[in-house]
Amino acid sequence: MAVSLPDKPQPFSVISEKWQHKLKIPDLDEEEKYSFGKVYEEQIFQLIHKHLELNTNDRLAYIGPGRGSLASKIKEKFCLLEPMVNVFPGKTHYEETPNQRMLPFKIAHVGAEEYFRELASESDEGQEKDKLAPFDKVLLRDAVEHFTNPRDTFTFMMKSLSAYGKLLIIHRPGPMSTLPFFSSATDRFNDQDVTGSEPYISIIKNLQAINVDVQWEIEIVPIVLSKVKWLSMIKQKFPPQMEVISNYQISSGVRELTEGMFKYQGDHVEFFDRLMFITATHPLVDCGYPSIQRAGQGAHTPYPGLMDLKFNLKVTPDIVKYVNQKLEKQKRSKNVLAHD
């Protein structure tokens, strides 16, 4: 006797379909559902200390989405004495298409772009001529993808930094992501990522264009989560990159994970979060060209080919006679000029 199976969604197997129904994905509390855990956050704090060199008396501006924000935890962890400014990065409106895809529409002149534009405008107009720059450090986390004009926004941010201030960008490029997303989400992130096939080049080029010194590094942060928590986070469209994924794609993707890599033994899953840490500072040496290098590398003058350099070339015996002829010709010319 033939058994009729549902056409949509097409089952992977009857046995696995029965197993999937036993999986209960809980509704986590507000703080838990948007956190990778204390171990992950401690690692992030160490990397912030390494790249941003955040001190207790620094004036910090934190730019990042509200969900999963580390602003209050950073203030407590680093014992910041000065008031910290927390700015949301921007607004993106998502519209679902008939084929269950989300189209993002970035809204200009809101959030961090408008905030730092106004700060720079006040400074240019001389309204704060006698005041110090507003910030010593600026931290951007999951924020760059919201900017409609990253180059101008970076310019305004650097104007708000003190002379020895530092800007740190923590970015998770789609093509470099190692989080266990389902296949359609991974493909969409690769297409959607603002930096394209070379994950960090676009950000670095925008910083290079405004003549600041840049250092970058790829950091790997370990994560250990229960499988049901990761699935719950995905259903809540977290991390923030998941906002571009439709509810239909998430439902299908959760099913793909439970029938695939999450189906096997064990309640927990271990993976890594690969992040780009990019820092920008005002040029320390006014040579006309910004320094761009990987973090930890020895400092060197950029673009040495454009400087005045002296090179020595060994003359082989077969061309010595031609060199001597040229020297004798130059000597005769000098003698003629001297007699005149």
Side-chain angles (χ1 to χ4, degrees), residues 290-309:
S291 171
I292 300 176
Q293 57 194 6
R294 190 161 187 170
Q297 302 297 316
H300 58 84
T301 304
Y303 307 110
L306 299 179
M307 308 300 170
D308 293 331
L309 301 177

Side-chain angles (χ1 to χ4, degrees), residues 60-276:
L60 173 67
Y62 179 94
I63 298 96
R67 299 193 309 162
S69 173
L70 295 178
S72 60
K73 294 179 181 179
I74 288 174
K75 182 176 177 63
E76 180 181 354
K77 177 68 177 181
F78 291 91
C79 303
L80 299 182
L81 303 177
E82 299 290 338
M84 183 178 67
V85 175
N86 189 3
V87 186
F88 76 96
K91 179 66 176 177
T92 303
H93 173 72
Y94 296 94
E95 189 71 28
E96 188 169 355
T97 64
N99 62 345
Q100 286 84 38
R101 285 176 64 89
M102 302 293 284
L103 292 180
F105 297 92
K106 297 179 182 179
I107 301 176
H109 308 300
V110 295
E113 286 186 305
E114 184 66 10
Y115 176 79
F116 284 97
R117 186 190 66 79
E118 291 180 355
L119 276 183
S121 178
E122 292 174 359
S123 177
D124 292 341
E125 292 173 2
Q127 297 179 8
E128 299 187 358
K129 188 174 182 180
D130 298 328
K131 289 185 64 177
L132 296 174
F135 303 112
D136 299 304
K137 305 289 170 62
V138 174
L139 171 59
L140 295 89
R141 181 169 178 260
D142 294 325
V144 176
E145 55 266 33
H146 292 279
F147 297 159
T148 58
N149 193 330
R151 183 172 301 181
D152 286 350
T153 304
F154 292 151
T155 301
F156 300 146
M157 288 179 177
M158 295 305 298
K159 286 184 177 181
S160 71
L161 276 177
S162 57
Y164 297 100
K166 182 177 288 189
L167 179 146
L168 172 62
I169 300 170
I170 303 177
H171 182 57
R172 184 185 293 113
M176 293 176 57
S177 178
T178 51
L179 299 184
F181 294 119
F182 45 90
S183 57
S184 61
T186 300
D187 294 340
R188 186 65 193 275
F189 297 152
N190 291 342
D191 296 337
Q192 184 68 23
D193 193 270
V194 295
T195 51
S197 59
E198 296 178 289
Y200 54 89
I201 293 298
S202 166
I203 298 174
I204 293 178
K205 282 185 176 180
N206 284 323
L207 291 170
Q208 180 186 20
I210 63 174
N211 296 318
V212 297
D213 289 346
V214 180
Q215 286 192 345
W216 60 272
E217 186 57 277
I218 302 172
E219 300 286 3
I220 308 297
V221 186
I223 302 175
V224 179
L225 290 178
S226 66
K227 293 178 180 178
V228 291
K229 179 177 178 179
W230 175 247
L231 296 175
S232 177
M233 295 170 73
I234 287 180
K235 291 184 70 175
Q236 296 294 331
K237 295 191 175 183
F238 186 84
Q241 292 81 8
M242 289 294 297
E243 293 179 356
V244 76
I245 307 300
S246 69
N247 292 331
Y248 174 83
Q249 289 175 312
I250 288 177
S251 178
S252 300
V254 168
R255 181 169 172 269
E256 175 187 321
L257 292 176
T258 57
E259 299 304 308
M261 66 177 77
F262 284 7
K263 178 184 174 181
Y264 301 100
Q265 185 178 6
D267 296 329
H268 288 73
V269 60
E270 299 181 18
F271 50 94
F272 296 94
D273 193 8
R274 184 182 294 170
L275 301 169
M276 285 293 304

